Every structure is written in C-alpha cells, then in structure tokens.
Amino acid sequence: MPESLPSQPDPEEAPSVPAFTPPIPWLAAGMDEEEAELTMGVGLLVREAALLEYTLHGLLVHLAGAPRAYAYEAGGTGSFFAKRCIESLKAMNEDRVPSASREALLEVLERCKEQFESRHRFVHGHLELDHESQQWLTLKGRRGKGARHAEVRFTTSSEPWELAAGFHWLQEKVLWWDIKLFGEPGDPDEGEPAYVSMKRKRAGSKSRPATKPL
C-alpha cells in the first residue's frame, strides 16, 4: 500500500463545488472561510467513514459466513468491524483465502483501524481555536488504564478533508477485496457489472448490492 492516501482525483476538468444557503443561517453566522472549511470537512469525514463502516460490515458477514447480514453484529462500529474482520481472516483456512491475499487484505484492515482512531479526534472530541497561535486544537479524552489526561493537539482545517479522502480510498479497497474474494455474478439487466458484492438478509435471499466492478 502507498505511504500516503490520494486526496484528489485527477479529472480532465476540475469538478464544480456546490454553493448553498444554510437551512439554519444563525448556526453558521460568524464563521470565517477557514472555519467553514473545517466544518464541511468534518461532515465529509463522517459521511465517508460511515460508508467504510457499512462496507466493512458486508465483508465481515462474508468472512464470518453469517446467513442474516443485517442482524449480524448490527450494533458494531467501524473499528469493531475492522477488528472482527482481522480476527476472522486470521482464523480462515488457506483454501478459502490464499496467504498472499490474506496479507494484503490484513494490511488494508489495519489501516482502517488507524483511520477510525484518527476520526475519533474530530467526531468524539472538541474543536476550538487557540487565539494566541491562531491554530485549531482538537481535545480528545483518552481511553484505557492510566489515561488521566486529554489529548491536546494542533490541527488544520484541511485535515478532516484528508481523512475523508483516506476513508474514501479505503472503502474502495475493502469493496474491491470483498468482490474479489466473495463476489457473485451481477445482473446485466439491472445495469450491474460482471461481479458484485452482496449482503445476505437470510439464507436463500439477497439484498440489493452496493457494487463496483473488479
């Protein structure tokens, strides 16, 4: 895997960014450009992280052989799903997932865990502007024994955007592996690619898939 995650696709023309009027204007009143950038970045971060979480759950369903996808570990989080995928993958026989594929997928899943930990600083922490340095601070409580002090660190308004791009990249990687290892033929009449990833609602029936071609 590359050391850094891509943050910007390379289209022939720059994509247009939508302008909008806030539904509740007073909540955005007084924001400068940097704070608006930070706020929108956190929203994108949450959205991309949720998509990766959903895709990881689908992979876990296949790795665990669960017959009822939406009832299996339904209350889990992204970090939990990545951890359980790693455990299930390590316990699998060679005939189900070859060692070369196993190592590559494990690397992706470990990266997922790290990415969710980085997300927590913005989703479960507090953001405030340090007026003396004119920099943003994230304040996040620590977990575990001996965690007596909060984590305080400087950040930039672009960091949530970079994390969101990382989640987007990881989601595509996880979905690619899900299709490669457990994909099923798509329905050309429905405009689906040759293989798709499917969650199983119950034995003998299938949910509508989220798909990407191999």
Side-chain angles (χ1 to χ4, degrees), residues 4 14 40 42 48 57 94 104 111 119 138-140 160 177 186 194:
S4 60
M40 186 174 180
V42 173
E48 295 294 341
H57 181 258
E94 175 76 13
R111 193 68 173 268
R119 180 204 64 168
T138 61
L139 290 80
K140 171 73 172 67
W177 277 110

Side-chain angles (χ1 to χ4, degrees), residues 31-82:
M31 281 189 182
D32 59 18
E33 186 174 324
E34 185 177 2
E35 187 173 358
E37 177 185 313
L38 180 69
T39 302
M40 186 174 180
V42 173
L44 289 169
L45 171 59
V46 170
R47 188 174 78 170
E48 295 294 341
L51 182 56
L52 175 59
E53 187 173 282
Y54 176 84
T55 306
L56 281 169
H57 181 258
L59 177 63
L60 177 59
V61 165
H62 290 137
L63 290 171
R68 296 176 61 86
Y70 293 97
Y72 184 74
E73 304 285 14
T77 63
S79 299
F80 172 81
F81 292 146

Side-chain angles (χ1 to χ4, degrees), residues 45-155:
L45 171 59
V46 170
R47 188 174 78 170
E48 295 294 341
L51 182 56
L52 175 59
E53 187 173 282
Y54 176 84
T55 306
L56 281 169
H57 181 258
L59 177 63
L60 177 59
V61 165
H62 290 137
L63 290 171
R68 296 176 61 86
Y70 293 97
Y72 184 74
E73 304 285 14
T77 63
S79 299
F80 172 81
F81 292 146
K83 180 182 177 182
R84 288 282 288 108
C85 282
I86 290 170
E87 293 171 350
S88 298
L89 193 58
K90 287 182 176 180
M92 273 191 169
N93 296 326
E94 175 76 13
D95 58 345
R96 287 200 66 194
V97 180
S99 57
S101 297
R102 186 192 313 260
E103 291 304 314
L105 180 52
L106 283 172
E107 189 175 349
V108 172
L109 292 170
E110 290 290 351
R111 193 68 173 268
C112 290
K113 286 173 57 181
E114 295 170 5
Q115 191 82 352
F116 279 111
E117 286 300 316
S118 296
R119 180 204 64 168
H120 294 340
R121 295 188 178 105
F122 295 92
V123 177
H124 301 298
H126 172 62
L127 282 162
E128 69 177 44
L129 181 66
D130 178 58
H131 293 282
E132 183 176 348
S133 64
Q134 286 298 299
Q135 296 184 76
W136 288 96
L137 289 169
T138 61
L139 290 80
K140 171 73 172 67
R142 293 178 178 173
R143 293 180 298 176
K145 295 181 179 179
R148 298 180 180 179
H149 304 287
E151 176 194 73
V152 181
R153 62 189 285 274
F154 286 110
T155 188

Side-chain angles (χ1 to χ4, degrees), residues 166-187:
F167 274 112
H168 182 87
W169 185 84
L170 285 167
Q171 189 272 336
E172 289 190 338
K173 293 293 288 186
V174 172
L175 183 56
W176 187 90
W177 277 110
D178 191 17
I179 294 172
K180 181 177 176 63
L181 297 173
F182 306 106
E184 300 179 18
D187 184 351

